[in-house]
């Protein structure tokens, strides 16, 4: 019941508080309440050197020490693969991914009728493949050992990403191209199937990365940080304030779309009585934060790469820092995947209990 209440509070926070921010800023709120699933008009993209440099400096200041620690963590016995063969169902998932990738990027007339629908097959293949990688290393994986949790993540993921589509009505940072031929109902079904793969992909990638001893050691032995209930309430409050600010000033505060939900969920998970992600910080263990962040960055690389040449794809319109793109994504935008990964795993754990974590 506590987990269900935390999920409900999170959804209300994400839906209601940006709306309150827009109302406080004096904007009409009807535009955010219409039921059409179509995305909003894109924001006005721009590039301002001072803003780019400030954001870049902040990101490097946070990420740089982590990258340096990972690079300088020496391999140790146990870092090599165990003597397990790659499972046959993993090879099937990899082959499925390669075929879907070829169809997505080709423009062969015979594939024209299915090229709009390659996103979901690509990511189902990816999820199976990554689970096979984990199974090869550890003998266990989310797909095989926890099928109930694995299946539950798909509908939860669809609802989860529709919440971010709602947030995008305020910030207008991404829009979709190539899906104009779909009816509203067809768009909703197609998008929901695609959105349903987000949480399984990040959770599965997190589990694979957590199986790598070198990464686990890199995030241990750091400075201990003791956080109690007051910190949990503070995180919820900051997440709530961030959602309001996001709705009030989306042109400047769009980064809060990734930070505010993460902070809110960290606090709600702790208050729900779970072993929350910051519990390990008391012993200097940052795995529960670092590994999910890296998992989303790895997953995000494939999202952006496969999106790049697909017939149906998304494009970005980001104020102030819309430049130096890698695939379609402005380079600084990849930093958003770091808090997003933590949010994904937090929600996965609220859906499944603590069964998605083995770090």
């Amino acid at each position: 019941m506590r987990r269900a209440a935390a999920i409900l509070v999170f959804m209300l926070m994400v839906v209601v508080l940006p709306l309150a921010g827009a109302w406080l800023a004096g904007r009409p709120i009807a535009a955010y309440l219409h039921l059409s699933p179509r995305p909003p008009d894109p924001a006005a993209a721009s590039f301002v050197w001072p803003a780019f440099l400030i954001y870049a400096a902040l990101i490097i200041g946070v990420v740089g020490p982590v990258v340096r620690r990972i690079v300088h963590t020496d391999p140790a016995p146990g870092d090599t693969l165990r003597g397990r063969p790659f499972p046959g169902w993993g090879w099937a998932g990899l082959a499925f991914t390669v075929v879907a990738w070829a169809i997505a990027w080709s423009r062969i007339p015979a594939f024209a009728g299915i090229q709009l629908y390659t996103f979901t097959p690509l990511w189902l293949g990816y999820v199976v493949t990554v689970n096979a990688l984990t199974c090869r290393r550890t003998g266990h994986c989310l797909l095989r050992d926890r099928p109930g949790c694995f299946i539950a993540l798909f509908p939860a993921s669809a609802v989860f990403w529709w919440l971010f589509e709602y947030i995008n009505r305020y910030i207008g940072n991404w829009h979709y191209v190539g899906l104009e031929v779909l009816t509203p109902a067809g768009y909703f079904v197609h998008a929901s199937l695609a959105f349903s793969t987000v949480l399984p992909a990040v959770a599965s990638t997190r589990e694979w990365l957590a199986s790598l001893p070198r990464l686990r050691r890199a995030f241990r032995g750091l400075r201990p940080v003791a956080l109690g209930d007051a910190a949990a309430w503070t995180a919820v409050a900051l997440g709530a304030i961030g959602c309001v600010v996001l709705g009030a000033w989306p042109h400047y505060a769009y980064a809060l779309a990734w930070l505010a939900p993460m902070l809110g969920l960290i606090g709600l998970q702790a208050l729900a009585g779970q072993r929350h992600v910051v519990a390990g910080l008391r012993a200097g263990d940052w795995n529960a934060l670092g590994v999910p962040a890296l998992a989303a960055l790895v997953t995000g690389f494939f999202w952006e790469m496969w999106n790049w040449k697909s017939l149906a794809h998304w494009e970005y319109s980001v104020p102030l820092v819309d430049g130096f793109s890698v695939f379609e994504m402005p380079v600084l935008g990849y930093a958003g995947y770091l808090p997003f990964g933590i949010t994904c795993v937090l929600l996965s754990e609220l859906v499944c209990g603590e069964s998605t974590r083995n770090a």
Side-chain angles (χ1 to χ4, degrees):
M1 290 298 293
R2 286 185 176 182
R3 289 193 286 117
I7 293 172
L8 178 60
V9 171
F10 171 73
M11 294 177 66
L12 290 174
M13 177 187 297
V14 171
V15 172
V16 175
L17 296 183
L19 197 66
W23 177 75
L24 290 172
R27 292 198 305 278
I29 62 175
Y32 308 112
L33 297 175
H34 66 84
L35 297 179
S36 172
R38 297 288 183 178
D41 294 332
S46 60
F47 183 86
V48 179
W49 270 111
F52 178 86
L53 294 174
I54 290 171
Y55 271 111
L58 290 172
I59 292 167
I60 293 171
V62 173
V63 176
V66 177
V67 173
R68 185 171 60 250
R69 184 174 178 87
I70 293 172
V71 170
H72 291 158
T73 298
D74 294 328
D79 277 3
T80 57
L81 284 172
R82 299 180 184 178
R84 297 186 182 89
F86 193 68
W89 50 269
W91 288 114
L94 181 60
F96 193 67
T97 303
V98 171
V99 171
W101 187 358
I103 294 173
W105 279 20
S106 71
R107 295 298 178 263
I108 299 173
F111 296 150
I114 60 176
Q115 282 185 321
L116 291 181
Y117 309 103
T118 55
F119 183 95
T120 302
L122 263 171
W123 282 95
L124 290 175
Y126 173 93
V127 168
V128 171
T129 302
V130 173
N131 274 270
L133 288 171
T134 306
C135 194
R136 183 189 182 191
R137 176 172 282 278
T138 68
H140 304 280
C141 68
L142 182 63
L143 184 157
R144 197 185 72 173
D145 296 348
R146 287 151 283 168
C149 168
F150 180 75
I151 292 171
L153 289 178
F154 284 87
S157 179
V159 175
F160 172 67
W161 190 255
W162 273 117
L163 289 176
F164 277 91
E165 291 294 307
Y166 168 76
I167 290 174
N168 194 42
R169 293 187 179 183
Y170 297 88
I171 61 178
N173 282 177
W174 65 88
H175 59 281
Y176 300 99
V177 177
L179 299 174
E180 297 82 4
V181 298
L182 298 178
T183 64
Y187 179 90
F188 176 78
V189 172
H190 172 68
S192 296
L193 288 173
F195 299 163
S196 73
T197 63
V198 173
L199 290 183
V202 176
S204 298
T205 305
R206 189 220 64 83
E207 188 178 48
W208 171 58
L209 292 178
S211 73
L212 306 178
R214 181 171 185 165
L215 262 187
R216 290 202 304 270
R217 291 200 318 279
F219 287 112
R220 286 177 179 154
L222 299 172
R223 183 185 299 274
V225 178
L227 299 172
D229 288 346
W233 283 109
T234 301
V236 172
L238 290 175
I241 293 169
C243 287
V244 174
V245 173
L246 174 68
W249 298 287
H251 183 81
Y252 299 103
Y254 53 84
L256 292 174
W258 314 108
L259 294 171
M262 178 195 70
L263 289 170
L265 265 181
I266 286 175
L268 289 170
Q269 186 196 41
L271 295 173
Q274 285 192 286
R275 182 186 178 277
H276 48 85
V277 296
V278 297
L281 271 58
R282 293 178 181 270
D285 185 349
W286 289 67
N287 270 286
L289 292 176
V291 175
L294 286 179
L297 191 60
V298 171
T299 311
F301 172 82
F302 287 99
W303 269 320
E304 302 301 336
M305 182 184 70
W306 284 330
N307 171 67
W308 184 40
K309 294 293 185 181
S310 293
L311 182 62
H313 62 279
W314 60 85
E315 297 177 358
Y316 293 98
S317 299
V318 183
L320 306 178
V321 296
D322 201 324
F324 303 103
S325 295
V326 179
F327 306 123
E328 292 287 347
M329 170 74 88
V331 65
L332 294 188
Y334 284 89
Y337 279 116
L338 302 176
F340 178 67
I342 297 171
T343 305
C344 287
V345 172
L346 285 166
L347 189 61
S348 298
E349 291 178 354
L350 283 172
V351 171
C352 298
E354 297 178 22
S355 59
T356 60
R357 183 190 304 161
N358 62 7

